[in-house]
């Protein structure tokens, strides 16, 4: 099987032009087939505020009403995606920017209204209904691996934004981490697939205050122990949970590390590697 690398970047890279320039150079230099997945950064929030549309969040997750959907579609699928594609072309990478609707590459389902069970001290908020609006969730049939495979075989580098669709004209806002994981799982039937999450830390750290304390490898059966002893905590827990779910479903390895160290991936010293 040929190797395929799927890399997800977030706002900490997108919002800094120098960081983005260096990341895209490193991305272009990576050997073999690759796919880039990106989120949105601060631009959508800033544009919304300038138009009098306040960002609404619940437990760190964006509520996507119709006005917000219009903004994130313009920013994610338009400004950010096409700017990134233009930069990749200038660096010698023949990229093609896509939303989930393009080529029907990612089909999502609108998240249903759900009841949130809060803690005992939540008072009147206990059992409150949460409507995330036009947010799309993915399942095992969401990603068209044949479409992505045909683009890769044509020598193109797909650049996927966080906008999907439901197949019935409705665009949806989907978490970019979820898109990256779902694409990696779908493509693992055709390629030896590795998934790379780039964020602001050097990887999983034994000591969150010491960037030199990177845990280089974690096996799935070590995960619970690392949670119990406090090595993995807070927001890193769902990241690693998703990583090991991807491995369980066929992805060969998942890496988590700092975007400006991506060049080290080819040397095997990038961040933390999650193994089966």
């Amino acid at each position: 099987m040929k190797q395929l690398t799927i890399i997800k970047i977030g706002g900490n890279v997108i919002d800094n032009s120098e960081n983005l320039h260096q990341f895209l150079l490193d991305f272009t230099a990576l050997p073999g087939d690759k796919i880039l997945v990106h989120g949105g950064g601060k631009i959508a929030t800033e544009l919304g505020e300038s138009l009098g549309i306040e960002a609404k969040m619940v437990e760190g997750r964006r509520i996507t009403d119709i006005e917000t959907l219009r903004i994130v579609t313009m920013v994610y699928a338009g400004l950010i995606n096409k700017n990134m594609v233009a930069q990749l072309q200038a660096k010698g990478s023949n990229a093609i920017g896509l939303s989930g609707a393009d080529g029907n590459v990612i089909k999502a389902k609108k998240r249903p209204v759900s009841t949130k069970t809060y803690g005992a001290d939540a008072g009147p908020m206990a059992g409150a209904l949460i409507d995330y609006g036009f947010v799309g969730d993915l399942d095992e049939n969401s990603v068209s691996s044949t479409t992505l495979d045909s683009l890769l075989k044509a020598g193109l580098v797909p650049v996927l934004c966080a906008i999907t669709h439901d197949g019935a004209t409705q665009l949806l806002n989907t978490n970019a981490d979820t898109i990256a994981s779902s694409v990696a799982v779908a493509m693992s039937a055709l390629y030896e697939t590795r998934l790379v999450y780039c964020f602001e830390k050097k990887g999983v750290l034994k000591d969150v205050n010491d960037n030199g304390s990177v845990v280089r490898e974690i096996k799935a059966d070590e995960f619970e122990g690392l949670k119990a002893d406090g090595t993995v905590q807070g927001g890193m827990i769902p990241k690693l949970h998703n990583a090991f779910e991807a491995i369980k479903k066929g992805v060969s390895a998942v890496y988590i590390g700092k975007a400006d160290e991506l060049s080290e991936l080819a040397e095997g010293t990038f961040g933390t590697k999650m193994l089966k």
Side-chain angles (χ1 to χ4, degrees):
M1 270 186 168
K2 290 180 67 178
Q3 187 175 80
L4 172 64
T5 304
I6 294 156
I7 298 179
K8 187 268 173 179
I9 58 167
N12 59 313
V13 180
I14 294 166
D15 294 332
N16 185 303
S17 58
E18 290 183 9
N19 289 350
L20 181 59
H21 169 73
Q22 185 58 53
F23 169 82
L24 294 176
L25 281 174
D26 294 338
F27 175 81
T28 298
L30 282 177
D33 292 318
K34 51 209 168 193
I35 295 172
L36 180 60
V37 180
H38 66 84
K42 298 176 183 176
I43 300 174
T45 299
E46 291 171 352
L47 177 58
E49 289 174 352
S50 72
L51 296 172
I53 300 169
E54 182 182 353
K56 301 169 187 173
M57 310 289 285
V58 174
E59 297 183 330
R61 295 183 179 183
R62 186 187 294 270
I63 301 293
T64 307
D65 57 20
I66 190 62
E67 291 84 4
T68 301
L69 179 66
R70 289 168 180 158
I71 289 170
V72 297
T73 300
M74 287 188 288
V75 173
Y76 298 175
L79 180 62
I80 292 176
N81 188 268
K82 299 314 172 190
N83 176 60
M84 212 170 291
V85 168
Q87 290 196 53
L88 284 168
Q89 293 292 355
K91 293 169 174 57
S93 183
N94 193 13
I96 181 169
L98 301 168
S99 72
D102 296 301
N104 198 31
V105 70
I106 306 175
K107 197 171 171 181
K109 294 178 181 177
K110 185 176 181 294
R111 183 176 298 170
V113 177
S114 61
T115 301
K116 174 65 180 178
T117 303
Y118 292 87
D121 59 347
M125 289 299 293
L129 289 177
I130 298 180
D131 184 357
Y132 285 100
F134 295 96
V135 169
D137 291 328
L138 307 183
D139 59 31
E140 65 276 7
N141 299 313
S142 291
V143 176
S144 175
S145 57
T146 54
T147 301
L148 289 172
D149 184 43
S150 67
L151 294 172
L152 292 167
K153 285 178 176 174
L156 295 166
V157 177
V159 180
L160 301 170
C161 71
I163 300 298
T164 58
H165 77 132
D166 68 355
T169 78
Q170 183 61 60
L171 295 173
L172 297 165
N173 183 17
T174 296
N175 180 274
D177 284 351
T178 302
I179 287 176
S181 177
S182 295
V183 169
V185 170
M187 298 305 289
S188 65
L190 305 173
Y191 295 80
E192 182 184 339
T193 304
R194 58 183 180 177
L195 173 61
V196 182
Y197 286 110
C198 290
F199 75 140
E200 68 277 6
K201 297 288 187 181
K202 288 178 174 286
V204 179
L205 305 177
K206 292 178 183 176
D207 179 353
V208 293
N209 299 311
D210 179 6
N211 279 329
S213 64
V214 178
V215 181
R216 287 299 176 188
E217 291 186 350
I218 302 175
K219 293 182 179 179
D221 59 6
E222 298 171 334
F223 182 34
E224 292 301 322
L226 291 172
K227 283 196 294 184
D229 68 17
T231 300
V232 176
Q233 55 185 297
M236 189 59 73
I237 292 175
K239 280 184 184 293
L240 294 198
H241 174 76
N242 289 335
F244 287 119
E245 281 296 305
I247 288 172
K248 188 188 299 183
K249 294 175 181 176
V251 176
S252 62
V254 181
Y255 297 78
I256 295 177
K258 201 168 184 179
D260 61 10
E261 297 180 347
L262 183 63
S263 60
E264 298 177 9
L265 185 63
E267 302 166 10
T269 58
F270 175 80
T272 302
K273 182 180 182 181
M274 266 58 69
L275 300 165
K276 295 179 180 177

